[in-house]
Structure formats: C-alpha cells, structure tokens
C-alpha cells in the first residue's frame, strides 16, 4: 500500500517506530526510593507521581520501596557505586552533613525560590541546609510525647493535666508503682526509644542553643553542667525501676504492643506509635478510648526558652547526578495541596497553617504543637555523624543501667564527638 504522498506502508511503519524510539530515548526517568510503609500515604505519593507524569509526559517517576533498616544499610553503597536513586529519604542532621562533605548530593539552592520557601517552615528548611546551601525538601515532621493509659491513671489516682514538671512526673511514677502498675514501657534493645528521655531533658535544661553550640565545638561542649544534669535526671528516673521487666531486651514494636495491651501506664514515643500501639497489640486495636497524650514536662530551673518540642524533620534529598526534572518533581510534590493530602494520610509536613487543614483532632493536635513550639528539635540520634549516633545510644543506656555515671556519660559523649571531627 502507498499513501498519496508516495510513502509506503513499510516506510510509514518505520517512521512511526523511529519516532516512538526517539520519544522513548528522550524520556527522563526519575528513580525515587521511599521507606514509607503506611499504605494510605503511599497511595497519595503514587497519585502525586501520576499527576506529575500527566503534566510532563516526557518524565517517568519510578517508585521503589525499601524497608527502613534495609534502606539505611544499602544507601552508602548505592551512593558510592554510582547506582544511587535520584531522590531518596533523609533525616537531615549529621548524616546529611556527612553526605554533603562526601560530595554525593546535589545542591538545590538555585531552584528553591521565594514561593517554594513559603510552603515550608524556615526551621524545617534549615535542617536540610548545610553551609548556606539547601540540599533537600523537608516534607514530614513528627512529635515525641507521652502516651498514657487513662484507665490506669484513674486507678492510681494520677491526673495527667497535673503533670507539668519533672517532679510531677516522678510523683506519678511513684503513685503508679504504689498501685501495683508498671509506670513505663520502653524498647531498650534498639537504643533510640530511651534516648528520647535524654534528648528531651537536654532540651528542657540546656536548650537548643547550647546543643548546637556543642555541635560546633564551642564552650564546654557536652561536658557542660546542663548535659550532666540531663543525664542525672535520666538516672533519677531509671533508679525508680519504672520500666517493664526485661526492657533492655525489648524491641520498639514489642514495647508498643506492651503498651497497647494495657501492661504499662505510659510510653514516651513519637506520634506514629498511635497506630503502632494498636497494630502491635494482641487484639490489633490497642487502648482505644483509653489512649491519652501529654507533652514532656518542664524541668524546674531549666532552660528559659520554654517548652521546645522534639521530633523528626524528614524529607527528600537528591543524588549529585539527579536531573532538573527530579528537582522539579519534588517542587510539585511539596505544593501545599499535596502536602495537605499527605498530612490527611498521616504524614504531617512542616507547612505553615497545616493544622487548620486537618479534620482528625489527633493530627491537628500534633501539627499545632509543632507549629506553636519555640523550637522543634530534630532527633538527637541524627544530629551527629553516624558513628557518634551509635555511641550516643550506648551512652544513654549505660547511664540508665548504672554502668556510667552522669559525668562519665557527658564526657563519653564529648569524647565521641571530638573523635568524629
């Protein structure tokens, strides 16, 4: 068959194939590795990716899931092998700074204009800034606080609203023990759950200014009396033996299930454990209406800056070879309407005013607390280089078990930090 212009069917077919081949070759593929396990959140992520592809038919967003610990284990090798994804997850802090110094990340400073910055709280954006260069897009925050069992509090005569200071918390622990109840549960095997106590005590006593001064090598560093006092308060709590039997051998999920089964009155955890205490409980429902929440209390004579909050500031960073399309996709992802949908699915972004967009009272409470905080402090165990992070968890546990004095703990943390420099 020959068309009117003289082109044969075979030639036309060849032209179509060539055009298709050319289009395929011109297509930009953006590899995006994520660790999100919440199916509702993943569904929103997928819908955002497909919406971007619809507007940019020459771009394909390839999503790949890796479990949290597997991701942490594989990422260093991926970055060094040249087989890294274009976009991947980050907790910010010291590990991010190490990656920047290693030359494996792309700066996006020139792409983050005033409009983009207006969608993100400045304190969150600073967590992804190293030496005045922006390397990532913070899209998730979390809040650590005390979950408590309302029924057990009532049984022991404890009023959650009356726990305003560290002394009040110590009195509540005593009352719960006197009632024959286990005051606290913690997943000591993994280290990071108990480090929340030291982190919050440091925030309450030293404040974030002194923490960041220590990270810069200024003053007395982590041997400052404020950090010694934080370790002292931690030891004061541990000496009351408030935790479940075998807490050192318990994992975080097991501890959350322990709380969800009604076997401990309190649990210091991130807001994600709201679902964790249910999912890991025997009936899969957890405490239900008996689940309460309260902030970490003030410490008498502590930092004058008020009740700072503690939690994660997480987001997306880019391989050094990531394309402009990868950065543009993340700009699309972090538009207010998309961040709001992610928040409704359980991933609360550091976006000004996001609490007003949320119908779930729990999510709105978390967002309001973070936004209203004088300072939202990133997790201590991501603020350091990776080797110091591991040391920190061992040091905190050592002080709690009595293997280290508070003074020894502060000195050991300072020594670890100095060795990493």
């Amino acid at each position: 068959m020959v068309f009117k212009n003289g082109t044969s069917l075979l030639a036309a077919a060849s032209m179509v194939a060539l055009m298709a081949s050319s289009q395929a070759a011109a297509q930009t593929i953006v590899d995006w590795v994520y660790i999100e396990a919440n199916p509702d959140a993943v569904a929103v992520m997928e819908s955002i990716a497909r919406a971007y592809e619809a507007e940019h038919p020459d771009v394909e967003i390839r999503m790949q899931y890796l479990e949290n610990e597997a991701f942490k284990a594989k990422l260093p090798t991926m970055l060094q092998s040249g087989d890294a994804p274009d976009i991947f997850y980050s907790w910010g802090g010291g590990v991010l700074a190490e990656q920047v110094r290693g030359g494996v990340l792309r700066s996006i400073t020139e792409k983050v204009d005033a409009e983009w910055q207006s969608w993100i709280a400045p304190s969150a954006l600073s967590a992804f800034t190293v030496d005045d260069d922006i390397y990532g897009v913070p899209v998730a925050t979390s809040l650590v606080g005390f979950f408590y069992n309302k029924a057990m509090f009532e049984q022991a005569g404890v009023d959650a609203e009356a726990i305003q200071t560290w002394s009040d918390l110590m009195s509540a622990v005593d009352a719960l023990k006197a009632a024959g109840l286990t005051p606290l549960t913690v997943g000591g095997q993994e280290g990071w759950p108990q480090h929340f106590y030291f982190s919050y005590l440091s925030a309450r006593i030293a404040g974030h200014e002194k923490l960041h001064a220590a990270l810069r090598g200024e003053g007395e560093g982590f041997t400052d009396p404020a950090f010694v006092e934080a370790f002292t308060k931690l030891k004061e709590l541990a000496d009351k033996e408030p935790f479940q039997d075998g807490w050192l051998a318990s994992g975080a999920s097991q501890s959350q299930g322990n709380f969800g089964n009604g076997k401990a009155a309190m649990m210091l955890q991130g807001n994600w454990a709201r679902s964790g205490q249910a999912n890991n409980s025997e009936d899969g429902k957890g405490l239900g209406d008996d689940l309460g929440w309260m902030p970490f209390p003030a410490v008498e004579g502590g930092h004058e800056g008020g009740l700072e909050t503690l939690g994660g500031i997480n987001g997306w960073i880019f391989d050094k070879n990531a394309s402009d399309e990868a950065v543009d996709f993340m700009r699309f992802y972090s538009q207010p309407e998309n961040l709001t949908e992610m928040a409704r699915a359980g991933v609360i972004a550091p976006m000004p005013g996001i609490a007003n967009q949320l119908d779930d009272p729990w999510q709105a409470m978390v967002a309001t607390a973070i936004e209203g905080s004088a300072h939202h402090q990133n997790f201590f165990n991501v603020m350091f280089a990776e080797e110091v992070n591991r040391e920190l968890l061992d040091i905190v546990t050592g002080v709690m078990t009595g293997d280290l004095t508070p003074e020894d703990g502060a000195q050991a943390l300072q020594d670890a930090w100095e060795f990493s420099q």
Side-chain angles (χ1 to χ4, degrees):
M1 178 179 177
V2 178
F3 293 101
K4 290 182 178 180
N5 63 4
T7 303
S8 70
L9 180 60
L10 179 59
S14 297
M15 290 174 61
V16 170
L18 183 62
M19 291 173 61
S21 175
S22 176
Q23 289 173 349
Q27 185 177 61
T28 299
I29 296 174
V30 174
D31 289 315
W32 180 23
V33 169
Y34 67 96
I35 63 171
E36 180 60 60
N38 176 350
D40 294 335
V42 173
V44 176
M45 292 165 63
E46 290 177 338
S47 70
I48 294 172
R50 301 296 83 82
Y52 184 83
E53 289 174 334
E55 292 187 13
H56 302 82
D58 58 334
V59 179
E60 178 184 352
I61 309 297
R62 290 183 180 174
M63 299 176 64
Q64 179 188 357
Y65 169 76
L66 282 177
E67 186 274 331
N68 191 325
E69 295 305 317
F71 169 76
K72 291 178 181 178
K74 292 180 179 180
L75 183 62
T77 301
M78 295 168 72
L79 289 173
Q80 295 300 329
S81 68
D83 192 31
D86 298 287
I87 306 171
F88 50 96
Y89 202 69
S90 175
W91 291 263
V95 174
L96 173 67
E98 281 188 315
Q99 292 167 337
V100 170
R101 288 194 292 269
V104 297
L105 300 185
R106 171 178 173 169
S107 168
I108 61 169
T109 306
E110 77 284 358
K111 299 290 186 180
V112 185
D113 58 19
E115 181 186 32
W116 198 353
Q117 290 189 41
S118 71
W119 304 338
I120 303 169
S123 61
L125 196 62
S126 68
F128 283 77
T129 301
V130 179
D131 297 331
D132 298 324
D133 268 337
I134 301 170
Y135 287 89
V137 185
V139 294
T141 52
S142 55
L143 178 65
V144 174
F146 277 108
F147 291 88
Y148 70 92
N149 186 317
K150 295 178 182 179
M152 294 178 80
F153 267 38
E154 183 176 357
Q155 181 181 342
V158 174
D159 179 4
E161 293 185 1
I163 301 177
Q164 299 294 316
T165 67
W166 181 255
S167 295
D168 294 334
L169 181 65
M170 295 298 95
S171 296
V173 168
D174 291 338
L176 289 160
K177 289 196 72 172
L181 303 171
T182 298
L184 293 158
T185 182
V186 67
Q189 185 182 61
E190 295 166 37
W192 60 265
Q194 61 263 36
H195 112 284
F196 288 157
Y197 287 93
F198 172 70
S199 300
Y200 249 131
L201 285 165
S202 294
R204 295 287 184 264
I205 298 169
H208 72 277
E209 296 96 339
K210 192 161 284 188
L211 167 66
H212 289 274
L215 289 168
R216 293 191 298 268
E218 299 172 2
E220 297 179 72
F222 293 99
T223 61
D224 187 283
F227 295 107
V228 175
E229 180 65 14
F231 276 123
T232 300
K233 295 293 187 186
L234 176 65
K235 184 65 166 60
E236 174 188 346
L237 172 65
D239 284 347
K240 290 182 177 291
E241 298 183 349
F243 303 113
Q244 80 275 20
D245 291 340
W247 66 271
L248 275 169
S250 175
S253 296
Q254 183 181 352
S255 174
Q256 291 176 29
N258 192 51
F259 179 76
N261 290 330
K263 295 182 179 179
M266 289 182 285
M267 175 177 65
L268 183 63
Q269 261 293 352
N271 59 283
W272 60 83
R274 176 196 185 191
S275 58
Q277 61 86 31
N279 296 337
N280 292 295
S281 66
E282 292 174 356
D283 63 5
K285 298 178 181 178
L287 296 185
D289 292 341
D290 279 334
L291 181 65
W293 169 275
M294 61 184 184
F296 196 94
V299 175
E300 298 90 337
H303 175 56
E304 296 179 356
L307 299 182
E308 299 176 350
T309 50
L310 172 75
I313 305 173
N314 310 328
W316 303 108
I317 56 178
F318 305 85
D319 176 66
K320 64 181 179 181
N321 296 317
S323 63
D324 287 345
E325 287 84 355
V327 180
D328 186 64
F329 166 64
M330 199 43 60
R331 180 190 178 100
F332 180 87
Y333 178 100
S334 57
Q335 292 180 101
E337 56 267 33
N338 288 335
L339 294 183
T340 299
E341 287 304 309
M342 286 297 296
R344 289 171 178 162
V347 180
I348 300 173
M351 185 180 80
I354 197 168
N356 299 328
Q357 308 298 319
L358 302 176
D359 298 326
D360 185 324
W362 177 277
Q363 293 176 335
M365 177 272 295
V366 171
T368 300
I370 294 172
E371 190 170 342
S373 173
H375 177 78
H376 187 62
Q377 176 58 54
N378 203 354
F379 297 127
F380 274 34
N381 70 322
V382 301
M383 293 298 293
F384 301 95
E386 185 59 36
E387 63 269 22
V388 185
N389 293 339
R390 293 191 294 268
E391 288 282 338
L392 170 64
L393 303 186
D394 290 341
I395 291 166
V396 168
T397 303
V399 171
M400 294 174 70
T401 59
D403 293 327
L404 295 172
T405 67
E407 292 78 10
D408 290 341
Q411 186 63 60
L413 182 54
Q414 179 65 18
D415 291 346
W417 178 84
E418 290 180 358
F419 186 76
S420 71
Q421 299 307 296

